[in-house]
Amino acid sequence: MGDTVFDLKGFIEILNKSSSFDDLKLALETYKEDLHISKLVLKTAIDSCELVLNKNSLDVPSFSYSKNGYDYLFYKVNDNYEFTLDDANNIEALLRILAMEHQIVISEKKLVDSELYSHQANIYNVTGYIKKVCSMNPDYSKYNSYYINLKAFGLINRLFGPNEGDYAIKHYAKLLNDFANPDEAVGHLGGDNFVAFIKRFRHEEFVNLASKFTIKLKNKANELEEITLSGVIGYYEFENNQLVNERLISYPAMACQYARNNKKPIIKITKELIESVNSVKDIEKKFKYELNKGNFVIYYQPKFDIVTSKIFGVEALARWHKNGEIVSPGVFVPILEKNGEIIDLDLYVLETLCRDIRNYRSYGYKIVPASCNISRRDFEDPNLEDKIIRIINEYGILPGEIIIEVTETSNLEEKDRLAKFIEKMNKNGIYTSVDDFGTGYSTLSVLRDFKVNEIKIDRSFINRKIEDSDKIIIGSIINIANKLKIQVVFEGIETIEQAKFVLSLGCSRAQGFLYSKPLPKLEFEAKMQEIGTIYD
Ligand code: C2E
Ligand code: MG
Ligand code: MG
């Protein structure tokens, strides 16, 4: 057996340090017959612990022996015993076998440990972290659990390369780990995600440490560059001494995700937040089913002519009827936009609207141009236009009866896509409108670049303090739009003063609570009967 297979020196060191010789005793018992070690040596070996040859011993060895580069010095415990070469040989062989055994045990232990450690960060991984926390048997009510994600870490990897990225991860892991006391725990979940279980009274200190660190990294030109990285922190304060697993990692993870989405450095998870996150999951899970069941319904908000107070159009706005509760689009639209399912809702709203228009026509009712909203995300579907045109044709909708509302964009690629969309709609007699006008970046260029039929000036223009410069800007937008025969609608008109003001700027079309809230279908029909349209 070569020395490389096992580390005899390391083994001897361990034996010298070890206080428990139980394993050794057991091993000696097992091997003594094979090795013909005399009873006396065996006794000597076990009781004196001198089996390990201690060069630092002040005693004079009674016998010395060298083999395979190791020096063995034998010390007498029993004065009557004289070591023989055979003894030495046997003991040396025994040591080797034990060292090998020991090596196996160590490597098995390492294997177990490696399942508990993150090699990238040299601290516990998720399993190790949970195990460590549970093994401490702590009073949870005195702790906070944390989840930390390093901000813009992808950028570090790109700018400095993965090796430097790894170095930063190790560095940060060490910072956290050095901070943690034995009754606390820190773990690395992979990537740039960390967890920590810290005594509550140390919260501030921990947050100070974890939220920012500075490190020198080698850039691609091999120069050291000092950069500061931030940790986005989500945390949970245990309310009682009870560990429900999700509270250790999922709750702070939820808070961290929420903090990232909302560009906050730190968020504590609360009941309300958990509910809102769960409702996201709820929407994602139930959307298709609820849509098919007809639980997404359309509300109709009429648009009014300010001068005559008559209806000139209507906007379809989605609502979710969820177990008797009405959920507003502000809740579900962003979620469906995120997971890309918004197009299903938008086409559903469009189709429902088209069906209504066809029905109204067949009943001989009045019809006003009806708008529906298309999310920017829908443009990712290259067949969006065809899908819209197919629906509109299927229901025999006439030009100008449907208006598709889109929103502005500053992204050039998206702009190109939007221009193509508007052009195709134009060709097919479908009107388009720019919603939330003025909240984007391109405002005036929209009028120049896109042949839209309508712009809807965003509510934020009317519900803030209007400066003189605003008046000039909005006034000239309205002026230009009028000249280009683009209809201007003011959104969010809530008071007569606002209506008058809008009129004074040259805009006579408004949508807002002053005139009507979005209404369920039957109420909208009643309103149409009651008020009448400008087309009467
Ligand atoms: P939007 O398209 O700009 O629709 C106008 C929103 O302003 C509606 O909110 C409406 O209820 C609200 N509003 C109208 N007048 C007033 C007012 O005088 N005061 C105030 N405070 N609010 C007023 P809603 O229905 O909650 O919809 C919010 C947004 O959700 C919509 O803004 C639209 O962007 C989106 N949305 C609604 N339905 C759909 C849909 O089917 N598909 C897509 N993609 N988005 C939709
Ligand atoms: Mg709209
Ligand atoms: Mg709007």
Side-chain angles (χ1 to χ4, degrees):
M1 197 86 36
D3 281 334
T4 48
V5 179
F6 57 90
D7 173 16
L8 184 57
K9 209 168 176 176
F11 174 66
I12 289 170
E13 265 169 28
I14 288 167
L15 283 187
N16 266 335
K17 277 188 216 148
S18 173
S19 55
S20 156
F21 273 75
D22 285 351
D23 289 349
L24 182 59
K25 277 182 195 168
L26 198 75
L28 285 170
E29 287 296 334
T30 314
Y31 292 115
K32 67 180 178 190
E33 299 301 331
D34 294 343
L35 294 170
H36 311 293
I37 300 174
S38 71
K39 272 210 162 76
L40 185 65
V41 177
L42 187 58
K43 191 166 185 318
T44 305
I46 297 167
D47 291 347
S48 68
C49 299
E50 293 277 351
L51 176 69
V52 181
L53 312 165
N54 187 349
K55 282 183 186 168
N56 296 327
S57 169
L58 292 175
D59 295 340
V60 181
S62 73
F63 182 76
S64 64
Y65 170 72
S66 292
K67 194 164 179 186
N68 294 331
Y70 292 100
D71 293 326
Y72 299 85
L73 305 174
F74 291 77
Y75 300 88
K76 270 193 207 172
V77 172
N78 185 325
D79 281 342
N80 299 326
Y81 191 78
E82 292 297 331
F83 285 103
T84 67
L85 197 60
D86 262 1
D87 288 333
N89 261 325
N90 284 343
I91 287 172
E92 195 267 348
L94 174 66
L95 270 177
R96 284 187 171 266
I97 288 171
L98 288 179
M100 200 161 67
E101 289 276 301
H102 178 73
Q103 185 89 359
I104 291 167
V105 171
I106 293 277
S107 53
E108 273 173 0
K109 188 172 172 335
K110 262 202 186 139
L111 203 71
V112 173
D113 282 352
S114 79
E115 284 164 14
L116 300 180
Y117 279 94
S118 153
H119 295 292
Q120 195 195 355
N122 282 338
I123 60 174
Y124 283 122
N125 63 16
V126 62
T127 322
Y129 174 71
I130 295 172
K131 252 194 170 154
K132 156 87 183 175
V133 169
C134 294
S135 72
M136 295 185 320
N137 203 12
D139 175 356
Y140 287 94
S141 65
K142 294 196 164 62
Y143 283 83
N144 289 351
S145 56
Y146 298 84
Y147 190 107
I148 309 152
N149 176 270
L150 294 179
K151 200 165 154 186
F153 191 72
L155 196 66
I156 299 299
N157 270 332
R158 253 176 285 140
L159 292 178
F160 296 89
N163 284 345
E164 291 301 284
D166 265 12
Y167 171 67
I169 290 288
K170 275 201 179 76
H171 177 87
Y172 185 62
K174 188 169 179 333
L175 272 183
L176 300 184
N177 210 39
D178 287 351
F179 176 88
N181 286 331
D183 58 356
E184 296 169 327
V186 163
H188 175 234
L189 302 192
D192 56 348
N193 298 304
F194 295 85
V195 282
F197 182 70
I198 304 290
K199 280 267 174 75
R200 185 158 313 135
F201 77 90
R202 304 219 302 150
H203 171 77
E204 250 161 57
E205 217 183 319
F206 178 70
V207 168
N208 269 340
L209 174 95
S211 56
K212 238 181 198 83
F213 71 103
T214 303
I215 185 171
K216 279 189 179 144
L217 296 179
K218 249 188 231 142
N219 63 20
K220 298 235 159 111
N222 227 8
E223 300 149 348
L224 279 180
E225 228 178 273
E226 188 173 275
I227 55 152
T228 300
L229 281 165
S230 324
V232 180
I233 303 174
Y235 71 102
Y236 170 69
E237 287 180 355
F238 281 88
E239 282 146 25
N240 48 38
N241 186 14
Q242 220 182 42
L243 177 66
V244 179
N245 259 342
E246 62 186 15
R247 296 188 187 158
L248 192 57
I249 298 177
S250 306
Y251 275 13
M254 249 186 224
C256 177
Q257 189 56 40
Y258 190 86
R260 289 178 61 184
N261 291 345
N262 294 281
K263 311 238 173 314
K264 298 262 162 58
I266 179 165
I267 289 277
K268 170 180 150 182
I269 193 127
T270 57
K271 276 203 187 80
E272 293 76 40
L273 204 73
I274 293 166
E275 266 168 30
S276 109
V277 172
N278 284 338
S279 97
V280 169
K281 287 189 191 144
D282 202 37
I283 291 165
E284 287 180 329
K285 215 169 62 201
K286 293 187 183 152
F287 170 65
K288 283 249 160 72
Y289 174 80
E290 292 281 292
L291 188 69
N292 289 334
K293 267 194 80 184
N295 287 339
F296 280 86
V297 298
I298 296 184
Y299 274 47
Y300 297 80
Q301 188 177 33
K303 299 166 164 177
F304 283 80
D305 180 80
I306 300 175
V307 181
T308 61
S309 289
K310 290 206 181 278
I311 296 170
F312 75 90
V314 64
E315 177 174 10
L317 294 157
R319 300 285 182 270
W320 178 15
H321 281 195
K322 183 190 168 199
N323 311 324
E325 174 200 354
I326 296 171
V327 185
S328 79
V331 175
F332 56 80
V333 165
I335 296 161
L336 299 175
E337 283 186 326
K338 213 166 189 178
N339 71 12
E341 290 188 317
I342 188 70
I343 186 164
D344 293 336
L345 177 70
D346 290 346
L347 294 177
Y348 174 83
V349 170
L350 173 69
E351 183 159 3
T352 313
L353 204 54
C354 291
R355 191 180 301 120
D356 282 351
I357 292 175
R358 188 178 65 182
N359 288 342
Y360 286 148
R361 199 189 337 271
S362 71
Y363 301 148
Y365 286 2
K366 283 173 278 188
I367 295 168
V368 291
S371 316
C372 61
N373 295 279
I374 285 289
S375 161
R376 206 176 291 167
R377 188 80 211 265
D378 298 350
F379 292 117
E380 284 172 23
D381 184 340
N383 301 318
L384 175 68
E385 290 89 335
D386 293 340
K387 288 177 180 170
I388 291 175
I389 293 164
R390 192 185 52 71
I391 293 172
I392 284 179
N393 289 339
E394 194 182 322
Y395 289 90
I397 300 302
L398 304 173
E401 280 183 340
I402 285 281
I403 304 173
I404 305 281
E405 292 190 6
V406 297
T407 47
E408 294 174 75
T409 173
S410 62
N411 179 304
L412 286 181
E413 238 170 71
E414 284 183 354
K415 235 181 170 152
D416 276 357
R417 179 74 185 89
L418 190 58
K420 257 191 212 131
F421 175 82
I422 291 171
E423 198 188 322
K424 191 136 190 199
M425 292 297 109
N426 274 335
K427 271 193 187 146
N428 286 275
I430 302 163
Y431 284 15
T432 48
S433 167
V434 179
D435 202 355
D436 309 335
F437 189 89
T439 53
Y441 314 83
S442 42
T443 40
L444 273 174
S445 68
V446 166
L447 300 177
R448 188 194 61 206
D449 299 342
F450 301 130
K451 295 218 159 23
V452 293
N453 306 85
E454 180 188 82
I455 54 172
K456 296 178 78 180
I457 298 182
D458 192 65
R459 189 157 62 91
S460 58
F461 268 112
I462 204 78
N463 66 9
R464 67 169 185 226
K465 199 172 155 278
I466 310 255
E467 310 282 344
D468 281 346
S469 58
D470 283 337
K471 279 187 212 163
I472 296 169
I473 292 169
I474 305 168
S476 41
I477 289 173
I478 293 171
N479 200 3
I480 296 169
N482 285 342
K483 282 191 180 136
L484 292 171
K485 303 227 163 5
I486 295 172
Q487 169 161 271
V488 183
V489 181
F490 246 94
E491 291 189 292
I493 303 297
E494 294 182 353
T495 64
I496 293 178
E497 289 70 41
Q498 287 172 342
K500 280 185 184 155
F501 171 68
V502 167
L503 200 57
S504 77
L505 291 176
C507 171
S508 62
R509 304 270 150 116
Q511 183 179 349
F513 294 169
L514 172 66
Y515 301 101
S516 170
K517 291 199 166 173
L519 304 168
K521 192 170 156 181
L522 290 178
E523 286 177 40
F524 166 64
E525 287 167 9
K527 194 126 209 149
M528 285 279 284
Q529 297 298 329
E530 177 198 329
I531 294 180
T533 77
I534 58 163
Y535 312 103
D536 291 339

